[in-house]
Amino acid sequence: MFEARLVQSAILKKVLDAVKDLLTEATFECSDSGIQVQAMDNAHVSLVSLNLRSDGFDKYRCDRNLSMGMSISCMSKILRCAGAEDTVTLRAWDNPESIVFIFESPNKEKLAEYEMKLINMDQEHLGIPETSYSCVVKMPTTEFTRICRDLSQFGESITFACSKEGIKFSASGDYGSACNLFSLLTLLKCKGNSTFSSMPRFSNIKLAQTADADNEEEAVTVNMQEPVKLTFSCRYLNCFVKAGPLCNQVQLSMSDDVPLVCEYKIGDIGHIRYYLAPKIDDEEEN
Amino acid sequence: MFEARLVQSAILKKVLDAVKDLLTEATFECSDSGIQVQAMDNAHVSLVSLNLRSDGFDKYRCDRNLSMGMSISCMSKILRCAGAEDTVTLRAWDNPESIVFIFESPNKEKLAEYEMKLINMDQEHLGIPETSYSCVVKMPTTEFTRICRDLSQFGESITFACSKEGIKFSASGDYGSACNLFSLLTLLKCKGNSTFSSMPRFSNIKLAQTADADNEEEAVTVNMQEPVKLTFSCRYLNCFVKAGPLCNQVQLSMSDDVPLVCEYKIGDIGHIRYYLAPKIDDEEEN
Amino acid sequence: MFEARLVQSAILKKVLDAVKDLLTEATFECSDSGIQVQAMDNAHVSLVSLNLRSDGFDKYRCDRNLSMGMSISCMSKILRCAGAEDTVTLRAWDNPESIVFIFESPNKEKLAEYEMKLINMDQEHLGIPETSYSCVVKMPTTEFTRICRDLSQFGESITFACSKEGIKFSASGDYGSACNLFSLLTLLKCKGNSTFSSMPRFSNIKLAQTADADNEEEAVTVNMQEPVKLTFSCRYLNCFVKAGPLCNQVQLSMSDDVPLVCEYKIGDIGHIRYYLAPKIDDEEEN
């Protein structure tokens, strides 16, 4: 028997919101140590890795390892039926054909049960090597979400440029060129600088490294071995930011020619990580 | 002359919201005792019965009985123009060709008048026999609204099963079967029970009879002569719940082979009742 | 060099919201005295006149007069990227091909720059003669917005009738006739009046002149030399009311056979005026 209970069903709701734009179905690997999902998005471009540790649940029992294929859209529909204060229990039997979601209201008056049929899915567990990254940036999720949304109005991809002075996000617009030619530091110091006028429409956003240790949730910190500059598709970034409600800070890990890791903690229970390869564009390289 | 005045125009707004999905036009019968509407929905499946007593109005005068055919969508548009704090007056003359809606703001500064042409309609007053019902359930409207909305995600109809332990709402999904096989009581007591795993996807919600007399508005009460189990179309239930804003509690009256009555009180002024015949399905019967 | 700085970028956002439904592009005339825009709407029916005085900006510098053609939709997109608390700076060089929008967050942590390419546009500065008007009405913008929205449900145009007793807005509905036949004063005094019943569906709203000097923002004041009655297209009125968030009061200036002027103040910095010619309709004239 498999049974996992979370007093805050809202967490599971947010997890589903964080993956439902990328995955239509996924295999949930349940073992004694917890629940794991690892899946490529539908277009096989990005990778989602979800980890919920057993000790993070309010009750957890898994008699034998289970691989359960689930429809993400159906699961998401079911979780929408949970009240904001409800406790959720997931339950399945050995060799299950279905999984049951049980929602209990705080006063125990209402009990809702949803049984969802499982899906047969091919399983391929992808090995993700642990790497050390050139730059690791932590910033408020609201800020990152906003930047991805704002800049994607102006182009299909966003360039992340990381240096000791901070991180710069930029996008180039309809007129084709990108804004690679100036240092933001220079820009900040000598506003009279005239490199702008010869450039076509572009947009960039810079966040300084904040030293304000009092307010860790609002801090932007850059931990850099060497500078990186990588370009990513807006479409996927805008899917990743759906995980924003899970966590106040997002962590971006970057190295040249290696996929970006975009990580959100899920309370004390685990994390969700998105992997996305940078765009390789000869014109970008100059 | 006919004149009816309500200090709270918001009530009339909510009444219109409660019928406008079911009726495009309706005959308003005005007499000395009040205003009555009785009409089948456009598809002639459900029946709406609205009663507003003359003594519930702040001012009421009806010199002779009038039957006024009105466009519900036009009336709804007009009522949307009333401010939240406005007083509304309905006024018509004998043998009217139109009815006037007058909105006055609390400070009397603004006076809005809308004249709506009446419609000629065939009249048929349907006799609804008073019946005693096997089960009468009262529950919070928010709860009922939510259940209807949640379960209609999973099937086209909802089964209401009423017993001394409470009432169970269930719907069956894409895979066709319903969840008739177990008692919810059993389910609550012996969670290890394994009847689940052989069943296809289904969903059900149970509300226990609450004894908390302190909070009548949140109570669920079941008054049962004998158990009933009836199935109703989600489509109509989801129209009925639009009356939710009128009242904190909804009353569901059920007997075998007799239409469900779904009643919402309208303040101290009257009520709206919806009648809906249960679905008869051979496969449901077993 | 041209540089204009506003601590409250929100004002510029609201200005854009006030014009973006009417204009797709416009020429911004910048001089030592401030920024001016004067443009016909896309259909060449109404005229928008925007004036932002240089002394209203927190910093303003304009070395030589510039005429900059801008895409309103692109500018609106860019301003949507400003945070609620951001400072905005507009910057361009002499003979500019582009203009830069710089947003700075209050804590200086985030700096966002958007460069927008300018558009070549034909320039025609329209002379608008100063006129004295028969009636000048001031009223709360929320009230005016609501009236335009409500009445446009019932007809394509709204008649503004102004007299010493106040101002009446009316629209006539599907059945074609307008409600020109009665005085609202009469209506208020003798409610038993029966001119209604012979009239088709119409709607009108009257606002009395309020003497409550304590609350100037909610006051309706009518300054009248002689009565006017003019009819305007709902479509344009509903574009003008988009300026509502800029100001608590709107000023309507009217004379026979002369365009309506609908004016909203923009804080201490300037104003936006909309001009709209009345409809000339033989049947309206009676």
Side-chain angles (χ1 to χ4, degrees):
Chain A
M1 187 193 185
F2 167 74
E3 195 172 78
R5 183 182 175 89
L6 263 183
V7 172
Q8 290 180 274
S9 62
I11 291 178
L12 208 54
K13 261 189 194 186
K14 289 177 189 170
V15 168
L16 265 287
D17 286 341
V19 300
K20 75 177 194 310
D21 287 353
L22 289 168
L23 311 175
T24 49
E25 39 194 49
T27 301
F28 285 68
E29 309 274 357
C30 303
S31 72
D32 204 43
S33 62
I35 302 173
Q36 270 207 311
V37 175
Q38 228 184 61
M40 300 293 285
D41 73 276
N42 302 329
H44 281 253
V45 172
S46 67
L47 176 77
V48 179
S49 171
L50 169 70
N51 189 27
L52 301 171
R53 286 188 312 276
S54 54
D55 57 29
F57 286 88
D58 298 292
K59 185 177 170 184
Y60 191 91
R61 172 182 166 189
C62 185
D63 297 343
R64 38 167 295 192
N65 290 3
L66 293 177
S67 282
M68 296 187 281
M70 304 197 200
S71 155
I72 297 294
S73 63
C74 180
M75 196 172 168
S76 177
K77 261 188 193 176
I78 288 172
L79 283 164
R80 266 203 295 270
C81 300
E85 304 295 316
D86 285 2
T87 290
V88 60
T89 305
L90 277 61
R91 191 184 293 151
W93 313 98
D94 294 342
N95 302 313
E97 292 188 358
S98 64
I99 182 165
V100 182
F101 295 80
I102 302 159
F103 304 129
E104 287 163 275
S105 65
N107 55 12
K108 307 283 177 202
E109 268 177 18
K110 182 172 164 190
L111 180 75
E113 273 196 27
Y114 295 92
E115 183 162 357
M116 183 177 81
K117 213 167 184 177
L118 297 178
I119 302 167
N120 284 322
M121 289 183 69
D122 289 337
Q123 289 178 54
E124 35 160 356
H125 196 84
L126 304 145
I128 302 169
E130 284 286 330
T131 323
S132 66
Y133 288 90
S134 304
C135 287
V136 177
V137 176
K138 289 186 189 173
M139 59 190 292
T141 50
T142 48
E143 215 45 274
F144 184 59
T145 301
R146 179 126 209 216
I147 288 167
C148 292
R149 192 198 62 195
D150 283 354
L151 293 196
S152 50
Q153 289 191 85
F154 301 95
E156 290 183 357
S157 58
I158 299 179
T159 299
F160 293 33
C162 198
S163 72
K164 264 182 185 134
E165 286 74 35
I167 176 163
K168 187 180 73 160
F169 301 90
S170 58
S172 70
D174 294 355
Y175 306 97
S177 328
C179 55
N180 304 337
L181 304 173
F182 62 97
S183 131
L184 264 167
L185 247 206
T186 317
L187 173 70
L188 282 166
K189 286 181 188 154
C190 39
K191 293 202 172 180
N193 168 323
S194 73
T195 39
F196 285 162
S197 52
S198 58
M199 269 182 297
R201 181 152 68 87
F202 66 84
S203 45
N204 71 66
I205 289 179
K206 183 189 169 297
L207 292 145
Q209 182 154 4
T210 53
D212 183 358
D214 291 352
N215 201 338
E216 216 170 284
E217 290 188 352
E218 292 183 14
V220 178
T221 52
V222 179
N223 192 331
M224 190 188 70
Q225 308 305 314
E226 48 183 324
V228 292
K229 185 168 149 223
L230 299 163
T231 299
F232 302 102
S233 156
C234 288
R235 202 185 134 200
Y236 289 94
L237 295 173
N238 281 321
C239 289
F240 302 168
V241 299
K242 297 287 168 66
L246 281 166
C247 186
N248 292 316
Q249 285 256 322
V250 56
Q251 177 175 304
L252 307 168
S253 304
M254 291 168 278
S255 285
D256 275 342
D257 305 324
V258 160
L260 163 75
V261 189
C262 184
E263 175 175 331
Y264 295 84
K265 296 260 178 263
I266 304 170
D268 294 328
I269 190 178
H271 61 253
I272 184 162
R273 288 187 190 137
Y274 302 95
Y275 295 82
L276 178 65
K279 283 193 170 185
I280 294 158
D281 188 326
D282 293 334
E283 293 176 352
E284 288 284 332
E285 304 257 293
N286 57 24
Chain B
M1 186 193 184
F2 166 76
E3 195 172 77
R5 182 182 176 89
L6 263 183
V7 171
Q8 289 180 275
S9 62
I11 291 178
L12 207 55
K13 261 190 193 184
K14 289 176 188 168
V15 168
L16 264 288
D17 286 340
V19 300
K20 76 176 194 306
D21 286 355
L22 289 167
L23 310 175
T24 49
E25 40 194 49
T27 301
F28 285 67
E29 310 273 358
C30 304
S31 71
D32 203 44
S33 63
I35 302 173
Q36 270 206 313
V37 175
Q38 228 183 63
M40 301 293 284
D41 72 276
N42 303 329
H44 282 252
V45 173
S46 66
L47 176 77
V48 179
S49 171
L50 169 68
N51 189 25
L52 301 170
R53 285 187 314 276
S54 55
D55 57 29
F57 286 88
D58 298 292
K59 184 176 170 185
Y60 192 90
R61 172 182 165 188
C62 186
D63 297 343
R64 39 167 293 190
N65 291 3
L66 293 176
S67 283
M68 295 186 281
M70 302 196 201
S71 155
I72 296 294
S73 63
C74 181
M75 197 173 166
S76 178
K77 262 189 193 175
I78 289 172
L79 284 163
R80 266 203 295 270
C81 299
E85 304 295 317
D86 285 1
T87 290
V88 59
T89 304
L90 277 62
R91 191 185 294 151
W93 312 98
D94 295 344
N95 302 312
E97 292 187 359
S98 65
I99 182 166
V100 182
F101 294 82
I102 302 160
F103 304 129
E104 286 163 276
S105 65
N107 55 12
K108 307 285 177 199
E109 268 178 20
K110 183 172 164 188
L111 178 76
E113 274 197 28
Y114 296 90
E115 183 165 355
M116 184 176 80
K117 214 167 182 177
L118 297 178
I119 301 167
N120 283 323
M121 289 184 69
D122 290 339
Q123 289 177 53
E124 34 159 357
H125 196 85
L126 305 145
I128 303 168
E130 284 287 329
T131 324
S132 66
Y133 288 91
S134 304
C135 287
V136 178
V137 176
K138 289 185 189 174
M139 60 190 291
T141 50
T142 48
E143 215 43 278
F144 184 58
T145 300
R146 177 125 212 219
I147 288 168
C148 291
R149 191 197 64 194
D150 283 353
L151 292 196
S152 49
Q153 289 192 87
F154 300 95
E156 289 183 358
S157 57
I158 300 178
T159 299
F160 293 33
C162 197
S163 71
K164 264 184 187 131
E165 286 73 34
I167 175 162
K168 188 179 73 160
F169 301 90
S170 58
S172 71
D174 295 354
Y175 306 98
S177 327
C179 56
N180 304 336
L181 304 174
F182 62 98
S183 133
L184 265 167
L185 247 208
T186 318
L187 172 70
L188 282 166
K189 285 180 188 155
C190 40
K191 295 202 172 182
N193 168 324
S194 74
T195 40
F196 285 159
S197 52
S198 57
M199 272 182 295
R201 179 152 70 88
F202 65 85
S203 44
N204 71 67
I205 290 179
K206 184 189 169 297
L207 292 145
Q209 181 154 5
T210 52
D212 183 357
D214 290 351
N215 200 337
E216 216 169 283
E217 291 187 352
E218 293 184 13
V220 178
T221 52
V222 179
N223 191 333
M224 191 189 68
Q225 308 306 315
E226 49 183 325
V228 292
K229 185 167 148 226
L230 299 163
T231 299
F232 302 102
S233 157
C234 289
R235 203 187 133 197
Y236 289 94
L237 295 173
N238 281 322
C239 288
F240 302 168
V241 300
K242 299 285 170 67
L246 282 166
C247 185
N248 291 314
Q249 285 254 322
V250 56
Q251 177 176 303
L252 307 168
S253 304
M254 292 167 278
S255 284
D256 275 341
D257 305 323
V258 160
L260 163 76
V261 188
C262 185
E263 175 176 332
Y264 296 84
K265 295 263 178 260
I266 304 172
D268 293 328
I269 189 178
H271 61 252
I272 185 164
R273 287 186 191 139
Y274 302 95
Y275 295 83
L276 179 65
K279 283 193 171 185
I280 294 157
D281 189 325
D282 292 336
E283 293 177 354
E284 289 283 334
E285 303 259 293
N286 51 23
Chain C
M1 187 194 186
F2 167 74
E3 196 173 76
R5 183 183 174 89
L6 263 182
V7 171
Q8 288 179 277
S9 63
I11 291 178
L12 207 55
K13 261 189 193 184
K14 288 176 189 168
V15 168
L16 265 288
D17 286 341
V19 300
K20 75 177 193 311
D21 287 355
L22 289 167
L23 310 175
T24 50
E25 39 194 51
T27 301
F28 286 66
E29 310 274 358
C30 303
S31 70
D32 203 45
S33 63
I35 302 173
Q36 270 207 313
V37 175
Q38 228 182 62
M40 301 293 285
D41 73 276
N42 303 328
H44 281 253
V45 172
S46 66
L47 175 76
V48 179
S49 171
L50 169 68
N51 190 27
L52 301 171
R53 285 188 313 276
S54 54
D55 57 30
F57 286 88
D58 298 294
K59 184 177 170 186
Y60 191 89
R61 171 183 166 188
C62 186
D63 297 342
R64 40 169 290 189
N65 290 3
L66 293 176
S67 281
M68 295 186 281
M70 303 196 201
S71 155
I72 296 294
S73 63
C74 180
M75 197 173 165
S76 177
K77 262 189 192 175
I78 289 172
L79 284 164
R80 266 203 296 270
C81 300
E85 305 295 317
D86 285 1
T87 290
V88 60
T89 304
L90 276 62
R91 191 184 294 150
W93 312 98
D94 295 341
N95 302 312
E97 292 187 359
S98 65
I99 183 165
V100 183
F101 295 81
I102 301 159
F103 304 130
E104 286 164 276
S105 66
N107 55 13
K108 308 283 175 200
E109 268 178 18
K110 184 173 164 188
L111 178 76
E113 275 197 25
Y114 295 90
E115 183 165 356
M116 184 176 81
K117 213 168 182 177
L118 298 179
I119 300 166
N120 283 322
M121 288 183 69
D122 291 336
Q123 289 177 54
E124 35 159 356
H125 197 84
L126 305 145
I128 302 168
E130 283 288 326
T131 325
S132 67
Y133 288 90
S134 304
C135 288
V136 177
V137 177
K138 289 186 189 174
M139 59 189 293
T141 49
T142 49
E143 215 45 276
F144 183 59
T145 301
R146 180 127 208 214
I147 288 167
C148 292
R149 192 197 63 196
D150 283 355
L151 292 197
S152 50
Q153 289 191 87
F154 300 96
E156 291 183 358
S157 57
I158 300 179
T159 299
F160 293 33
C162 196
S163 70
K164 266 185 185 130
E165 285 73 33
I167 175 162
K168 188 180 75 163
F169 301 89
S170 58
S172 72
D174 294 354
Y175 306 99
S177 326
C179 55
N180 304 336
L181 303 174
F182 61 97
S183 130
L184 263 168
L185 249 207
T186 318
L187 173 71
L188 282 166
K189 285 181 186 153
C190 41
K191 294 203 173 181
N193 168 322
S194 74
T195 39
F196 285 160
S197 53
S198 56
M199 273 183 294
R201 179 152 69 85
F202 66 86
S203 43
N204 71 65
I205 289 180
K206 184 191 168 295
L207 291 146
Q209 181 155 4
T210 52
D212 184 356
D214 290 351
N215 201 337
E216 216 170 284
E217 291 188 351
E218 292 184 13
V220 177
T221 51
V222 178
N223 192 331
M224 190 187 71
Q225 307 307 315
E226 48 184 326
V228 293
K229 186 169 148 220
L230 299 163
T231 299
F232 302 102
S233 157
C234 288
R235 204 187 133 199
Y236 289 93
L237 296 173
N238 281 321
C239 288
F240 303 167
V241 300
K242 298 286 168 69
L246 283 167
C247 186
N248 291 315
Q249 286 254 323
V250 57
Q251 177 176 303
L252 307 168
S253 304
M254 291 169 278
S255 285
D256 275 342
D257 305 325
V258 161
L260 164 74
V261 188
C262 185
E263 175 176 331
Y264 295 84
K265 296 261 177 262
I266 303 171
D268 294 327
I269 190 179
H271 61 252
I272 185 164
R273 288 188 190 136
Y274 302 96
Y275 295 82
L276 178 65
K279 283 193 169 183
I280 294 158
D281 189 325
D282 293 334
E283 292 176 357
E284 287 283 333
E285 304 257 295
N286 57 23

